[in-house]
Amino acid sequence: MRLRHIAAIAALSIFSIVCGAKAHAQTAIYAQATGQSNDLTSGDGYFWGPTFGIYQDRHSLALVHLGYDIRGSILKNGSAQFSSGLGGIRASVVPHVIPIKIYAEGLVGVGIVSNGSSSTNFQYQINGGVEYTLLPHIDWRALEVAYNGYSGNTGGNPVALSTGIVFRLF
C-alpha cells in the first residue's frame, strides 16, 4: 500500500513537471533585415537581405528561459550571395519589470557562398540581442549582433547586424 502512494506521488510529480514545462513554452517566428560584413568574397561592401526563423523557449527558471532557434538567411552583394541554415541553443532573460528580452544563442549549420561558383561549408554563429515588447504578442527585435565562423573562409569572420519583428504564437 505504501509503495503505491509513493509511486502515485512520483508519477504526479513527474506529470506536473512535464506539463508545467510545456505550459511555459514560448514559441515565436521572426523576420529581420540583416547586413553582414563581406569577409567571404573578393567584393566590397556588405551582404544585405532577410533572416527568418522560429524559436522556442522550452524551459524556464525564474527570469531565465532556455530553448532552441532554427533560422535561415539569404544575403546578397551584387552577384554574390551568402545563404545559411542554422540551428542551436538559446538562452534569454526576461526581467518582467520592463518590456525587454535579452538573449544569446549558439548555432551551427551550413553556409553557401555563391560568386560565379558555389561552395558549401560548415558554419557556426554566436548571436546576442535585445527584443522590446510592442504589443502582447509582438516584439521588435531592436538589435541582434551575430559573429560568424565559416570553415571555407580565409578572409576573416563576418559580423552581422539585424533588426526585425517577432510574432510570439503562444
Side-chain angles (χ1 to χ4, degrees):
M1 182 73 158
R2 193 174 184 148
L3 184 58
R4 282 190 228 162
H5 288 304
I6 293 172
I9 290 171
L12 187 58
S13 298
I14 291 170
F15 179 76
S16 66
I17 290 169
V18 170
C19 289
K22 288 184 180 178
H24 294 291
Q26 177 75 65
T27 301
I29 58 173
Y30 58 88
Q32 54 194 46
T34 300
Q36 177 177 291
S37 61
N38 186 2
D39 296 334
L40 299 172
T41 68
S42 59
D44 293 326
Y46 291 85
F47 284 97
W48 298 97
T51 298
F52 44 88
I54 184 169
Y55 73 77
Q56 186 173 61
D57 289 338
R58 299 279 301 162
H59 304 285
S60 298
L61 180 59
L63 304 177
V64 178
H65 304 274
L66 300 173
Y68 63 88
D69 188 351
I70 300 170
R71 63 173 50 200
S73 295
I74 303 170
L75 310 176
K76 294 185 178 189
N77 176 352
S79 63
Q81 180 171 314
F82 177 70
S83 303
S84 66
L86 303 165
I89 59 172
R90 166 187 171 84
S92 62
V93 176
V94 183
H96 297 294
V97 293
I98 54 176
I100 66 167
K101 180 183 293 184
I102 302 164
Y103 67 93
E105 302 175 337
L107 309 171
V108 295
V110 295
I112 304 166
V113 177
S114 303
N115 191 14
S117 63
S118 179
S119 66
T120 302
N121 290 294
F122 170 78
Q123 180 187 358
Y124 69 87
Q125 193 173 72
I126 300 168
N127 300 337
V130 177
E131 295 175 0
Y132 179 78
T133 301
L134 299 173
L135 295 170
H137 291 279
I138 299 175
D139 293 344
W140 169 42
R141 186 164 283 180
L143 177 65
E144 178 181 272
V145 178
Y147 176 83
N148 292 279
Y150 185 69
S151 66
N153 182 22
T154 58
N157 296 88
V159 175
L161 298 176
S162 301
T163 187
I165 194 86
V166 178
F167 300 97
R168 287 180 280 118
L169 304 175
F170 48 87

